[in-house]
Amino acid sequence: MTSPIRHNWTKDEIQEIYDLPLMELIYRAATVHREYHKADEVQVCTLLSIKTGGCPEDCSYCGQAARYHTDIKVQALLPTETVIAHAQKAKETGSTRFCMAAAWREVRNNSDFDRVIDMVKGVNELGMEVCCTLGLLTEEQAQRLQEAGLHAYNHNLDTSEEYYQEIISTRKFDNRINTINNVRKAGITVCSGGIIGLGETHADRMSMLLTLATMPKHPESVPVNALARVKGTPLENNPKVDIWDMVRMIATARIVMPASVVRLSAGRIEMTEAEQAWCFMAGANSIFTGERQTLLVTPNPGVTEDMQMFQNLGLKPMENKKTATTC
């Protein structure tokens, strides 16, 4: 019998799942995972920063905020042909989803957005799932992206509504929810998760999962990120996230949002292969990889290393469910 998809979770129920004895938690999550997904398949995604640094926001974890003194160099919006070339290379190395990120607070209706529309069209024509993360988005802008062929929009909650203002003061939690709602209205799938290791409590983590798990439709993709500590940001000295905290978050997300793809995202560079294996056992079935060995502006394992890990663990890249489109 398949576990039902619920949207009426309570915080206490989610906390009870999170607090299960670790082996029981992983067993339950692995069981749910097999009901909805092929346990030996992992979606391989590539993330490219198409515009880097100079962001006016003050997200405490982010090295791309203009107000922090980091080693990250500001980079203007990449040429469209450069982005398409990166997407083609990603496809050749096994990625089925190509994500483009711009360090903007919000999308503006200008020539840069027009160029992003062209990038979406170009990557879509390669037959890949196209994802963007561009900041706050209006319903009309989401509609333009959908018409260009955008498959998914990433807009992480980052943390709980209660802790949000401790991490970011330049926007509100409701701004995040409004953008997700605009993406939904446009018929684009949602990629939304969060970051652990920001100084939040376990209750904050449960609150974040509760927000996601009680949405009228669960995000199709739920990234679970461990804080990547960037020198020069307010959180640079936060302790490394404990691997068992990551495993518990992934397993809990898998149980409360069984049909979603749960993405093991930032933080993999500090995990051993064995630690990543625990995350896959707990229900993670997507990663970011790439030949540049970066995840936006922080280190990340490269595609060769990841393919060797897959071979060692008996995993394989998820097949591309999308076919190339032509104009």
Side-chain angles (χ1 to χ4, degrees), residues 2-299:
T2 303
S3 301
I5 295 178
R6 292 177 49 192
H7 302 269
N8 62 343
W9 293 98
T10 67
K11 192 172 179 180
D12 286 345
E13 286 177 317
I14 296 175
Q15 185 73 60
E16 186 177 336
I17 292 169
Y18 184 88
D19 288 338
L20 284 169
L22 185 65
M23 293 301 176
E24 175 65 19
L25 174 60
I26 292 172
Y27 173 74
R28 290 195 194 181
T31 302
V32 171
H33 189 189
R34 282 158 174 75
E35 291 173 353
Y36 284 88
H37 308 272
K38 294 180 180 178
D40 63 343
E41 285 190 352
V42 176
Q43 185 182 37
V44 178
C45 311
T46 296
L47 177 62
L48 177 69
S49 180
I50 60 173
K51 185 272 178 185
T52 306
C55 182
E57 300 271 42
D58 68 351
C59 307
S60 300
Y61 54 80
C62 186
Q64 299 198 66
R67 66 192 68 203
Y68 305 138
H69 300 290
T70 68
D71 295 331
I72 294 163
K73 293 187 172 113
V74 175
Q75 168 197 280
L77 189 66
L78 292 174
T80 302
E81 55 271 22
T82 301
V83 173
I84 304 304
H86 277 293
Q88 180 63 48
K89 181 64 183 281
K91 181 180 179 180
E92 291 168 359
T93 54
S95 288
T96 58
R97 177 180 286 206
F98 189 75
C99 306
M100 298 177 283
W104 292 333
R105 179 184 190 275
E106 60 199 354
V107 173
R108 299 185 184 277
N109 294 315
N110 56 21
S111 59
D112 280 352
F113 186 40
D114 293 339
R115 287 169 59 193
V116 171
I117 293 293
D118 288 338
M119 294 174 192
V120 171
K121 290 177 179 176
V123 177
N124 187 47
E125 288 168 6
L126 295 177
M128 303 181 78
E129 291 182 1
V130 196
C131 179
C132 282
T133 179
L134 313 169
L136 304 176
L137 197 67
T138 67
E139 189 176 344
E140 292 74 21
Q141 291 163 342
Q143 190 61 45
R144 279 194 69 191
L145 287 165
Q146 189 276 333
E147 290 168 358
L150 190 72
H151 176 79
Y153 196 81
N154 168 260
H155 207 59
N156 289 331
L157 298 182
D158 293 338
T159 189
S160 70
E161 183 174 8
E162 297 81 5
Y163 192 61
Y164 195 79
Q165 290 303 116
E166 299 297 318
I167 299 301
I168 304 155
S169 71
T170 49
R171 56 176 138 80
K172 298 185 182 301
F173 190 80
D174 283 349
N175 296 143
R176 311 296 276 179
I177 299 299
N178 290 340
T179 289
I180 291 170
N181 289 340
N182 290 336
V183 168
R184 277 278 179 234
K185 289 174 189 172
I188 300 168
T189 66
V190 171
C191 175
S192 186
I195 308 168
I196 64 172
L198 302 175
E200 76 287 347
T201 64
H202 285 276
D204 287 315
R205 296 175 185 177
M206 299 310 100
S207 180
M208 181 186 72
L209 287 176
L210 179 68
T211 300
L212 297 168
T214 55
M215 287 179 173
K217 188 174 185 181
H218 294 158
E220 285 80 0
S221 174
V222 179
V224 180
N225 297 275
L227 173 66
R229 296 160 293 172
V230 179
K231 187 177 180 182
T233 64
L235 302 185
E236 66 173 304
N237 294 318
N238 276 28
K240 177 181 178 291
V241 172
D242 184 82
I243 183 58
W244 302 122
D245 285 355
M246 278 293 285
V247 170
R248 285 188 179 278
M249 282 294 289
I250 287 168
T252 306
R254 168 55 63 221
I255 291 169
V256 300
M257 293 173 280
S260 301
V261 169
V262 177
R263 182 167 292 123
L264 174 59
S265 296
R268 285 202 304 122
I269 195 69
E270 294 191 86
M271 295 181 191
T272 65
E273 187 173 285
E275 288 173 337
Q276 292 180 71
W278 279 105
C279 294
F280 294 127
M281 287 172 63
N285 60 340
S286 180
I287 59 169
F288 282 116
T289 192
E291 81 276 5
R292 299 178 77 181
Q293 296 185 300
T294 58
L295 186 63
L296 289 184
V297 293
T298 57

